[in-house]
Amino acid sequence: MQLIRTISDLRAALKIERSRGKSIGFVPTMGYLHIGHLTLVKNSQQHCDVSVVSIFVNPTQFAPNEDLAQYPRDLPRDLKLLEEQGCDYVFAPDVNEMYPDGSGKTSIYVDAGELSSILMGALRPHHFRGVATVVSKLFNIVQPDKAFFGEKDYQQLAVIKRMVTDLNQPVDVIGVPTVREPDGLACSSRNSLLSAEDRAAAVILPQAMQLAQVLVDQGERSVASLRQAVVNKLQQEPRGEIEAVDIRDAETLAETAEQLTAPAVLLLTVRFGKTRLIDQHVLRF
């Protein structure tokens, strides 16, 4: 496994791989890796000849009042996990490499349009602009054949797919099902920021999603009723502060009709202390 710090060195290494006819798989991350990330790497290894993982905590997707400085980082640990997984290249640039003026900002952004202003985008303005911008930069640097993203960040995946389509980027974006802890909580780097009490309380998220699916299996199709049932379930856990409960079209993230007629995605945003957790479940019937 090679650790590469600069854009020029990574481009040179991957140019050699392509000259040998190798396909390139890419997993962009912000580090502090867990089994969910490693599952993305495994998918890359199954689909491509060479796998590249980036580790970069991107400042343009954090607002001034958000937790950029507190975001967990442990590069030696991440490198050990990736080496054990058999990853080929790790791209771990510093901020100055990705944003050369050193400010952690850029004068040109990729605007994700309406998809970036709804749901999580309404709670975190400009977040998806920063995500789309850094992923576009990384796609330009790596030039992968395929890129792998977790479905837990459902809206992010939709934004990246739209970006690739609208900008004619030659990348096949592949969503990988959410990896969960034994108690059902989605794997996330942010879980490490939870206190023991909040970590125990956070299991209410998968429980609420499971309840919604049970109701759909029993024939419930009213969006309002399903949403209220989820809210009621989440409110049973006083440590959780509900920020959003949304039911949207699973393909477009558009608002659904009053009655479900096609699969819809249930999107949860709940804060435990200072840590915001998100999760999703596609309601199928």
Side-chain angles (χ1 to χ4, degrees):
M1 184 182 80
Q2 283 188 246
L3 170 62
I4 297 180
R5 293 287 198 169
T6 69
I7 294 169
S8 60
D9 285 350
L10 182 64
R11 283 177 167 163
L14 295 181
K15 182 178 180 180
I16 294 172
E17 298 288 4
R18 288 190 194 88
S19 73
R20 297 169 175 165
K22 301 292 184 67
S23 59
I24 309 296
F26 179 45
V27 179
T29 83
M30 294 208 298
Y32 212 76
L33 305 182
H34 51 68
I35 187 62
H37 295 111
L38 298 179
T39 299
L40 298 180
V41 179
K42 184 177 181 179
N43 274 262
S44 176
Q45 292 170 321
Q46 290 171 343
H47 288 86
C48 300
D49 300 315
V50 174
S51 292
V52 181
V53 174
S54 65
I55 297 176
F56 179 65
V57 181
N58 175 43
T60 64
Q61 67 194 67
F62 290 83
N65 62 331
E66 292 182 333
D67 57 353
L68 173 61
Q70 285 73 42
Y71 196 87
R73 297 165 171 85
D74 192 340
L75 183 60
R77 169 186 171 276
D78 291 344
L79 295 176
K80 182 174 185 295
L81 289 172
L82 290 171
E83 188 162 26
E84 291 171 351
Q85 182 64 38
C87 180
D88 298 294
Y89 296 95
V90 178
F91 179 49
D94 62 21
V95 172
N96 291 345
E97 184 71 13
M98 292 296 291
Y99 298 101
D101 69 356
S103 68
K105 299 178 182 178
T106 182
S107 58
I108 297 177
Y109 289 88
V110 176
D111 189 335
E114 182 182 355
L115 264 179
S116 69
S117 64
I118 61 175
L119 305 170
M120 178 60 70
L123 295 173
R124 300 181 68 186
H126 307 305
H127 169 69
F128 288 112
R129 183 185 72 167
V131 169
T133 298
V134 77
V135 172
S136 185
K137 287 167 71 71
L138 288 166
F139 282 177
N140 288 338
I141 294 164
V142 178
Q143 298 182 16
D145 297 285
K146 300 180 186 295
F148 300 84
F149 294 81
E151 291 180 352
K152 178 181 76 71
D153 297 301
Y154 200 90
Q155 187 175 3
Q156 172 179 280
L157 178 59
V159 165
I160 299 305
K161 285 183 174 181
R162 178 70 59 83
M163 178 189 77
V164 164
T165 297
D166 288 358
L167 298 184
N168 306 110
Q169 295 176 320
V171 183
D172 184 11
V173 175
I174 298 175
V176 177
T178 303
V179 178
R180 298 186 177 277
E181 302 286 356
D183 62 4
L185 186 66
C187 293
S188 172
S189 301
R190 294 181 185 274
N191 292 351
S192 66
L193 302 175
L194 297 169
S195 68
E197 295 78 9
D198 285 339
R199 172 61 185 81
V203 74
I204 197 70
L205 273 74
Q207 291 175 354
M209 294 187 300
Q210 182 180 31
L211 170 63
Q213 185 62 61
V214 167
L215 292 173
V216 168
D217 292 343
Q218 293 174 348
E220 181 62 76
R221 297 293 182 269
S222 166
V223 172
S225 296
L226 289 167
R227 184 184 182 281
Q228 190 59 55
V230 171
V231 169
N232 291 344
K233 180 66 175 179
L234 291 172
Q235 287 177 336
Q236 292 177 11
E237 177 46 71
R239 300 189 73 90
E241 177 188 348
I242 300 172
E243 292 193 332
V245 175
D246 293 284
I247 298 176
R248 296 276 179 144
D249 181 275
E251 292 296 324
T252 66
L253 293 184
E255 292 186 0
T256 62
E258 293 181 1
Q259 299 287 319
L260 294 183
T261 58
V265 61
L266 170 63
L267 300 159
L268 305 183
T269 307
V270 181
R271 188 180 291 275
F272 293 85
K274 295 182 179 180
T275 304
R276 173 185 280 143
L277 298 183
I278 63 172
D279 208 342
Q280 58 78 30
H281 174 75
V282 177
L283 301 168
R284 295 186 172 90
F285 50 91

